[in-house]
Amino acid sequence: MAAIELHFLGDFRVFRDGAPAALPPSKKTRALLAYLALKPRQFRREHLCELLWEIPDDPRGSLRWSLSKLRRLVDDTDSKRIVADRSCVELNTDDVAIDVLSLRQLIDQNQADSDDALEAAAQNYRGNFLEGIEFSRFHDFHSWCIAERERALRDRLALLAELVRRFAQTPDRALPHARARVGLAPYDEEARSSLIRLCHAAGQAGEAEQQFQLGMHMLREAGIPSSGALAAARQATAPASAPTVATAAETPPRGSSAPSVSPPAQSPPVQPAKGLVGRERECAQLSGTLHNLAQAQSATVHLLVGAPGVGKSRLLAALLAECGTLDATVLRAAAFESDATRPFGLWTDAIRALDASAYDAVFGASDEANRDRLFSGLANFIRIASQDRPVVIMFDDTHWSDDSSAAALHYVVRLNRDRPVLAVLAAREGELRDNTALQQSLRGLRRDGLLHELPIGPLPETALQQIITEQAPGADGERLASACAGNPLLAIELARAEIEGSGAGSLDDLVRERLARFSTAGADVLRWASALVPPFDIKALEMVTGFETPVIDEALEMAEAHAMLVPANQGLRFSHDLIAKAVYRDISPRRRQVMHRRIAEAIVREATRDLSRASWLAYHATQSNDPELAARSMVAAGRLSLRFFANEDAASLAKKGLQFVEELTEAIRVPLEIQLHEVLLTATPLDEPETVAERFASLAERALDIGDLSHARLGYHLAATIRWTQGNWEVARKQSLQSARVVRGKDSKAQVIGTAETAKCLVMLERDLSEADAMLMEASALAQRQQMSHPAICAGIGMLRFYQNRMDEAEELLQESRALCKSAGDRINEFLASEYLVVIALQRGDVDEARERAEQLVTLGNKIREGSEKPFADALVGLCHYLQHNDDEALNTALVDLRAADAKYRLAYTLTRAALADCERGEKARAVERASEALEYAIILERPTEMLLAHAVLACGHRDTEEAAQAHRTAVEELRPVAARWTGNIIGRLDEMMRKNL
């Protein structure tokens, strides 16, 4: 026997000299051990840091911590297996037995061992590789883990196939291995055909028919055409009148079950608990804190940490009941693994459940990208709520908390530390350390003296016996209490199983037995439900399973009767996450991927405005192991996040998607790269605009090479847009024209968009306006024939009408464009249309209307990416205030930010309008200063309208110096033919003012 045994199949286990060793609590530490064990070579520390940790996580510190835990686990006094220096890490596995490698060696030997040895191996090498330790957020590790899992699966299948072959003449002995083989390879027709033949040979015709029906259903589920092998196996062995069983297509009458399945034994009624047995100390501590809240007038946080199923949620439920006696305001929510990227998920769920109007007040008009602003709103909500009564915040399963929720917790509690606020958090000790954001918040709370940690350990056997007696009278409480290692959930479930006559010895065995009591379709409904968690509803199950409502209803009712499911706010949920995980573990890895792919595709198809869908979509797509679907889903999830101004999340999703596209062919990769970079461009500020523009231009060229004209157009358009924002007008013009050129005469929809976007860009550049007008008319006509609309058409025509001084038409068209952009979630172009509406109001002299619109623009600017939008919105509000009250303090402050953003066009506009007001008020020096700065920008940008206005102001400001004034007047006359037509009104007003002054 090897000194150290590492078991990576099924439950993660380590044995030292044959005895199980205590494992480190962190899943990342366990993942690191597996990675080092199966890749026996030196790794640079930087590589391992990037593999499992993020920059904010202090990756080097986390790696050092993990290595220290692994040394205690695998090192001996005489044998230092972890070999590490300042730069490299290695694991010496010379005297280490690893189950995955032992299985691989067995297969490589061509199964030369005896029958008994192979059967023992099949029994020992069970379960998936690193079950539950995939870490989908870390692409390189996740890809390695999935590849290793596939390899281990192939080895297990080869072993089972050999056993089925050897025992073909003894069906009873072959059947368990054939069933296990089909469970691992549910879409393998040859494997299921073999099982059907063995079932008939063993006299189990009912199961044979079930396997045929289930096999056909699964082939349809995966979109695989049948080779006819299943039907051949059925026909070759079935008697003339073979019984049939219910499937999705043939559902049994409600209340009945399949003929070959025994009617389900009903679980005994659950006895009401007489209190939390064995938790008197914990209950007393939480109750004491709760009852002292009002008098103490101080905030505190209790962290309940324990193993899964040990009773943390029951403690929260008991505390909730006690809150009712104190008339406390309770915010309650639970985190889910699939929600880890949903911003403020815990807080939105808790406040929405408490009061929809309160949710709208906190989140409806807030900014999920500007976290400081939203944190303040949450802290203020708690402050107001705690004025009249205590506030209790209960968050369960916080080890899965999203980053925003964790950070907000520290902020909210700290700012309300002198108020009656109690936060109770429940988390699993083994997964808490892997949540970086939550660890940071807990460290801050601990440092502030606000955190009290309450370990929830195993219950003593006497307490377990009492619980078993209350919940399942008649079960052998003494035996079960001894076998359950202090876990009350396991004790209760096994006690119920014993009453039902089950011999299950573990939760997985128990769940497997219960599933066997369901019809074929009913058991499959529960498997789909375990893949769908968090709470699911019948509509979701119908959408992904293809089963009819009666089949689903019957399965769910039966699961509730067995206490596997319980009601939830949004449908149903498993009675405990461990139950869901046990059902999920019973699904083969290959089928899981199919399930997650179907769920992700259903979410993409479903029209929704729910931000949680973005998180679920990202999760299911990643689990599908389909890089193309994952990348497309990251685009969809990123765009959905942008719709709700969750810019940080959108950027994170886009970056993750870019990792997936690396595995794709050029024809699939390029369009997805363009879309993902578009999400990034919309979500984040431009650090290196020229580099980004070059990237889009290069991607556009590659799209042309593969014949994808639509994405070539988009790449050129985005490159032109960036060049426009940076004032590189000529290149912007060329690339904008190219974006229209590549789709001309091609797909009508792409041609409409390309032509309209190009024309709009030309109008914004004040270039080739007659050509832009013709292009917009062409795009409009094409759109009418296609019965489609696009915001660029009405925006481009509206901007052109503004240039032509047709303000009423311009406003109507820009309002239409704004509405279309808002509906599509296109926040950047919504801002652009909205800023023109402010400018139109100013041009009409309606400063009140302009200010109202500018303030709305500030709200929008706060929510979109960091750039020039927010400073420009502030500058417009400051400009309106200056025009109304002759107070330019706010304007000057905003101009500083606008200069920092290097927004030359928006600076030129704001400065010329302020300078015009200075002129009219006789503030010549200030007018000249502002107009001179505006003229510098306008010349760089080659903007005739802004140059004309700046020269007009300077002619007015220098009227005492005839030579200088004349030079500016000459420039004005030269620019008049190419400037916007409404400038004539301004020049006339300035001339009139000068005549009066003279």
Side-chain angles (χ1 to χ4, degrees), residues 56-287:
D57 196 13
D58 181 18
R60 281 190 166 272
S62 297
L63 177 60
R64 285 194 299 272
W65 185 90
S66 290
L67 289 174
S68 70
K69 299 298 181 184
L70 292 182
R71 286 190 181 95
R72 298 177 194 174
L73 183 64
V74 302
D75 280 1
D76 296 324
T77 305
D78 301 328
S79 180
K80 304 296 183 184
R81 297 181 179 87
I82 297 288
V83 182
D85 55 29
R86 295 174 65 93
S87 58
C88 295
V89 178
E90 183 179 7
L91 176 66
N92 184 348
T93 59
D94 290 345
D95 61 344
V96 176
I98 304 172
D99 60 350
V100 177
L101 299 182
S102 299
L103 172 62
R104 192 173 301 167
Q105 184 179 10
L106 182 69
I107 300 305
D108 291 342
Q109 292 172 352
N110 199 26
Q111 300 94 25
D113 295 66
S114 67
D115 293 351
D116 291 341
L118 287 184
E119 284 194 301
Q123 181 66 27
N124 291 333
Y125 301 138
R126 297 177 64 185
N128 297 313
F129 175 77
L130 291 189
E131 182 71 75
I133 311 184
E134 298 92 345
F135 291 114
S136 60
R137 294 178 65 180
F138 297 91
H139 180 263
D140 289 344
F141 178 83
H142 181 69
S143 298
W144 170 80
C145 181
I146 294 300
E148 287 290 334
R149 183 173 294 168
E150 287 287 338
R151 184 169 181 178
L153 177 64
R154 288 195 298 271
D155 290 341
R156 291 174 63 200
L157 285 170
L159 175 60
L160 292 169
E162 175 65 13
L163 285 167
V164 170
R165 185 188 66 78
R166 291 190 182 194
F167 302 142
Q169 302 307 313
T170 52
D172 288 340
R173 194 172 179 184
L175 271 173
H177 306 302
R179 293 188 188 108
R181 182 185 176 199
V182 167
L184 291 176
Y187 306 112
D188 186 335
E189 278 197 85
E190 188 277 326
R192 197 178 295 272
S193 298
S194 175
L195 174 57
I196 292 172
R197 286 190 289 269
L198 284 169
C199 285
H200 277 292
Q204 299 186 25
E207 182 183 354
E209 182 62 17
Q210 276 194 1
Q211 291 295 341
F212 169 76
Q213 298 286 357
L214 182 60
M216 295 301 294
H217 176 72
M218 286 192 174
L219 290 176
R220 290 192 296 270
E221 166 188 285
I224 301 172
S226 174
S227 66
L230 292 177
R234 179 199 198 193
Q235 187 171 2
T237 54
S241 57
T244 59
V245 295
T247 65
E250 303 173 63
T251 60
R254 189 174 183 82
S256 66
S257 59
S260 61
V261 180
S262 301
Q266 295 297 311
S267 296
V270 177
Q271 302 297 320
K274 300 177 181 178
L276 288 180
V277 179
R279 297 298 184 199
E280 291 78 11
R281 179 183 62 87
E282 294 88 344
C283 286
Q285 185 169 340
L286 291 173
S287 179

Side-chain angles (χ1 to χ4, degrees), residues 976-994:
R976 270 193 173 192
V978 291
R981 294 177 189 174
W982 47 260
T983 55
N985 300 334
I986 295 176
I987 295 168
R989 197 165 73 242
L990 286 175
D991 288 342
E992 180 65 24
M993 182 189 68
M994 288 173 59

Side-chain angles (χ1 to χ4, degrees), residues 302-452:
H302 282 288
L303 176 63
L304 314 182
V305 182
V310 81
K312 302 181 297 296
S313 299
R314 290 282 288 124
L315 278 167
L316 290 181
L319 184 65
L320 177 65
E322 198 162 352
C323 287
T325 66
L326 295 179
D327 193 28
T329 297
V330 181
L331 295 173
R332 190 183 184 204
F336 298 95
E337 187 175 10
S338 58
D339 265 0
T341 59
R342 179 162 64 106
F344 298 98
L346 282 168
W347 291 97
T348 55
D349 288 350
I351 295 178
R352 184 188 283 121
L354 177 69
D355 183 352
S357 61
Y359 170 83
D360 291 336
V362 176
F363 291 99
S366 295
D367 173 13
E368 294 190 19
N370 189 329
R371 300 209 306 181
D372 291 342
R373 204 178 307 276
L374 187 55
F375 285 3
S376 297
L378 283 169
N380 190 54
F381 171 78
I382 298 298
R383 178 185 63 79
I384 295 172
S386 63
Q387 288 176 350
D388 300 325
R389 62 186 71 180
V391 172
V392 180
I393 302 166
M394 285 190 278
F395 289 162
D396 201 358
D397 290 329
T398 53
H399 48 275
W400 287 323
S401 165
D402 64 275
D403 294 357
S404 301
S405 290
L409 175 71
H410 179 216
Y411 184 94
V412 167
V413 174
R414 182 167 54 82
L415 261 66
N416 289 281
R417 62 187 310 158
D418 298 325
R419 298 186 177 278
V421 176
L422 170 62
V424 185
L425 318 176
R428 295 180 185 173
E429 57 185 348
E431 300 177 53
L432 181 60
R433 182 175 175 81
D434 296 328
N435 189 320
T436 306
L438 184 58
Q439 285 290 340
Q440 291 174 340
S441 291
L442 294 176
R443 281 196 293 268
L445 292 167
R446 191 179 294 114
R447 186 174 55 248
D448 295 337
L450 299 170
L451 181 66
H452 301 276

Side-chain angles (χ1 to χ4, degrees), residues 935 947-948 950-952 954-956 958-959 961-975:
L935 183 59
M947 285 192 286
L948 181 149
H951 279 300
L954 290 170
C956 180
H958 290 298
R959 60 179 178 268
T961 308
E962 180 57 30
E963 184 177 350
Q966 184 56 47
H968 290 298
R969 283 195 291 269
T970 301
V972 167
E973 293 305 317
E974 291 175 351
L975 290 165

